[in-house]
Amino acid sequence: MKVNVINGQMSPREIDRYIEYAYKKHPGRQISMMDIIINGEFVDLKFYFKDTDFQRAYRSADYLVNDMEKLNDAKQAEFSQKERHKV
């Protein structure tokens, strides 16, 4: 991950802490770049994410799931019998 420190300087240890924070804040996302913007006593973080493959979302009883394994057997059967729309 590329890290840009803007409006000041920061130790490598501080930068590593912000990188750890970024991964905890956005688990499962690939961060390509992060800007650390120093604003007086405060720090603003801006994240840039890598383009990832589209993840299919399934709607089931008014809630979304991204994995069919999370649904019970009846809902899985319902989805397997459903007519698919062409994209």
Side-chain angles (χ1 to χ4, degrees), residues 1-35:
M1 170 193 323
K2 182 179 178 185
V3 177
N4 301 312
V5 178
I6 301 168
N7 296 335
Q9 295 182 355
M10 192 171 282
S11 73
R13 185 172 181 197
E14 282 182 291
I15 292 171
D16 289 342
R17 297 285 185 210
Y18 283 113
I19 291 171
E20 288 175 20
Y21 171 79
Y23 284 122
K24 286 180 184 176
K25 183 170 174 69
H26 302 285
R29 305 271 319 257
Q30 292 183 339
I31 303 170
S32 62
M33 187 168 65
M34 178 173 63
D35 290 339

Side-chain angles (χ1 to χ4, degrees), residues 39-52:
N39 187 5
E41 294 182 18
F42 300 97
V43 173
D44 295 321
L45 301 176
K46 184 172 183 179
F47 304 105
Y48 301 88
F49 299 100
K50 291 182 181 179
D51 293 331
T52 56

